[in-house]
Amino acid sequence: MKKLIFALSDVFCDSIEGNYENINQAELLGYICTNRFTGIAFKNMYKCSVRWQKECKDVLGTMYEKNVQKSKAFKHFVCELAAILEKAEFMYVLLKGAYLSTLLYEEGMRTSNDIDILIQEEDIEKCQHLLESNGFIQGYIEEGKKIRPASRREIIMSRMNYGETVPFVKRIDDEILEIDINFSLDFKPEQGVSRVKQLLEKREQVTFEDSTYYTLNQYDFFIHLCCHLYKEATTINWVQMGRDLQLYKFSDINLFFRKILVLLDIDTLVKRIKEYQTEEECYYTIINASKIYPQITELDFYNYLIQGIKPKNLEFMNQIVNPETGEKYSYDMSFEDWFFAEDKIKFLK
């Protein structure tokens, strides 16, 4: 089933080889839903030997239709935020889904629950004031789409340990728009020349429908995707929640590799990765993404890129960190086995 799950999440999939007639479809559906690639799976479901049960077909079809509607709402949210940020007196960029879902993925292939903004830490108060003056509350969405204002402790802990603020949320037409403000590439404090400042100074403006907003240039966008995936994949809190290795994050890497990196200068990319000192983050992400989507390794520049950024010590590839205490844990199994392990915590040393 592992091979099938990976193949169903490939947005570029043409066909899926193998006999999967006797597969547990309920279990398979669970993996598809929890890894948030229902739209891509719906597109790929008839490219394999599975004789889909009506219930599974209906669930995927319904979720795909819901994804399309959710994508439309998300695009509207991006335009709303872009209009608000026209008044920003600080440098910002919109990250991940704001660009991927609106300009790279087909509608319904990727959904986003929030919009990520990257700013410098010194500009948090300015951004906070701008959002709050437009009706946003710093807090959490709870059952029934209720908004619970965050406590002072939650605000401080998130900022100190995770390189991001507690989300800013706002109800719009019975839907909740959630904004995550990031001010770090990982959970570590910035040292020396700020990497975030370097990223923001090279930002680019893009146009979507009638709106314009800033995002990272394409080299930096890829590097940030790698850093964000690595941070969540190797942080103990995300492992405990079971959200450390969701396939939609690796799908973004696959998409960017085959739509964008093929058009870029790889020497420049290698140089940027080293300049930002993100060799570990990018190496971890690329190596593991290629295990899920082996077609990546067939690209002409793949080996050149990997060799150009490969760290000397690879112990980090099997490590998990607790950012609050600095403690590190390790696991002794392949990436594929770790990906599908149900209780990862018990395997940590």
Side-chain angles (χ1 to χ4, degrees):
M1 183 187 289
K2 296 178 182 178
K3 183 178 178 182
L4 176 60
I5 291 169
F6 288 162
L8 285 170
S9 72
D10 185 356
V11 73
F12 299 101
C13 177
D14 293 321
S15 63
I16 302 173
E17 298 179 357
N19 185 357
Y20 300 106
E21 287 296 325
N22 298 319
I23 200 134
N24 185 325
Q25 294 191 26
E27 184 180 357
L28 175 60
L29 189 61
Y31 275 111
I32 291 171
C33 293
T34 56
N35 281 275
R36 292 175 50 185
F37 65 95
T38 52
I40 300 173
F42 178 76
K43 174 185 174 184
N44 291 335
M45 65 187 297
Y46 293 114
K47 297 175 183 177
C48 62
S49 62
V50 176
R51 293 184 181 179
W52 294 92
Q53 298 166 2
K54 181 180 184 300
E55 291 79 5
C56 290
K57 289 191 292 185
D58 290 347
V59 167
L60 283 178
T62 299
M63 295 193 76
Y64 170 72
E65 292 174 3
K66 184 178 180 180
N67 285 353
V68 171
Q69 295 304 313
K70 192 173 182 179
S71 294
K72 293 180 185 296
F74 182 76
K75 290 176 180 179
H76 174 69
F77 288 159
V78 171
C79 293
E80 289 253 347
L81 182 59
I84 292 173
L85 289 172
E86 286 180 0
K87 301 177 182 178
E89 297 179 351
F90 51 87
M91 291 191 295
Y92 79 89
V93 290
L94 301 188
L95 304 167
K96 300 187 301 176
Y99 177 72
L100 295 168
S101 298
T102 57
L103 294 171
L104 288 190
Y105 277 102
E106 295 178 22
E107 200 162 67
M109 294 296 102
R110 187 193 195 279
T111 60
S112 296
N113 297 322
D114 50 41
I115 300 177
D116 289 87
I117 304 176
L118 180 68
I119 62 174
Q120 294 184 85
E121 186 172 8
E122 63 196 55
D123 292 324
I124 290 177
E125 282 71 23
K126 292 179 182 178
C127 188
Q128 176 180 349
H129 177 73
L130 180 61
L131 292 175
E132 289 178 343
S133 66
N134 281 275
F136 285 86
I137 298 171
Q138 194 167 16
Y140 296 98
I141 305 167
E142 298 189 336
E143 293 182 11
K145 292 186 177 180
K146 294 181 180 178
I147 298 175
R148 175 179 67 82
S151 67
R152 178 171 175 78
R153 182 180 186 280
E154 288 172 328
I155 292 172
I156 293 173
M157 290 296 291
S158 180
R159 186 164 169 177
M160 285 179 60
N161 295 311
Y162 298 102
E164 59 187 28
T165 66
V166 169
F168 288 81
V169 292
K170 178 181 179 180
R171 188 180 301 279
I172 301 177
D173 299 329
D174 201 38
E175 295 291 334
I176 301 292
L177 171 56
E178 180 176 327
I179 308 296
D180 285 335
I181 299 178
N182 299 262
F183 53 87
S184 172
L185 294 186
D186 48 37
F187 48 77
K188 305 168 188 173
E190 296 275 66
Q191 296 179 350
V193 178
S194 168
R195 293 184 294 177
V196 171
K197 183 178 181 180
Q198 290 176 283
L199 291 171
L200 293 174
E201 287 176 343
K202 298 184 179 76
R203 63 182 181 164
E204 295 178 353
Q205 196 170 46
V206 297
T207 299
F208 170 67
E209 295 183 349
D210 296 327
S211 300
T212 59
Y213 62 84
Y214 285 100
T215 189
L216 298 171
N217 71 63
Q218 292 181 330
Y219 294 99
D220 294 346
F221 196 100
F222 177 74
I223 293 171
H224 179 267
L225 278 181
C226 291
C227 289
H228 193 83
L229 185 153
Y230 177 80
K231 178 175 77 169
E232 295 183 350
T234 60
T235 303
I236 190 110
N237 306 67
W238 286 85
V239 175
Q240 290 169 332
M241 292 186 292
R243 297 172 58 195
D244 51 319
L245 293 174
Q246 291 171 297
L247 273 174
Y248 80 94
K249 304 169 190 175
F250 288 95
S251 174
D252 293 346
I253 300 299
N254 183 38
L255 179 78
F256 219 83
F257 247 99
R258 298 168 69 181
K259 268 198 172 183
I260 303 299
L261 292 196
V262 291
L263 305 175
L264 302 183
D265 177 65
I266 301 305
D267 282 319
T268 300
L269 178 59
V270 170
K271 181 180 179 182
R272 288 277 182 91
I273 291 172
K274 291 182 175 180
E275 179 183 347
Y276 297 136
Q277 299 179 354
T278 53
E279 292 97 323
E280 290 186 0
E281 293 91 333
C282 293
Y283 186 84
Y284 174 96
T285 300
I286 295 170
I287 287 293
N288 290 328
S290 67
K291 292 175 181 176
I292 298 172
Y293 309 112
Q295 297 87 343
I296 291 175
T297 65
E298 299 171 6
L299 297 171
D300 293 340
F301 59 85
Y302 177 82
N303 287 329
Y304 182 80
L305 172 57
I306 284 298
Q307 293 305 316
I309 65 170
K310 184 176 181 179
K312 293 181 179 179
N313 187 339
L314 298 180
E315 288 183 357
F316 68 91
M317 293 293 289
N318 290 69
Q319 289 183 341
I320 304 297
V321 66
N322 184 336
E324 294 185 21
T325 64
E327 292 176 312
K328 291 184 179 180
Y329 308 85
S330 65
Y331 54 90
D332 184 18
M333 62 178 70
S334 69
F335 170 76
E336 291 87 345
D337 289 340
W338 177 250
F339 186 98
F340 288 100
E342 292 188 5
D343 184 7
K344 292 190 173 89
I345 298 299
K346 73 179 182 181
F347 295 109
L348 293 178
K349 301 175 183 178

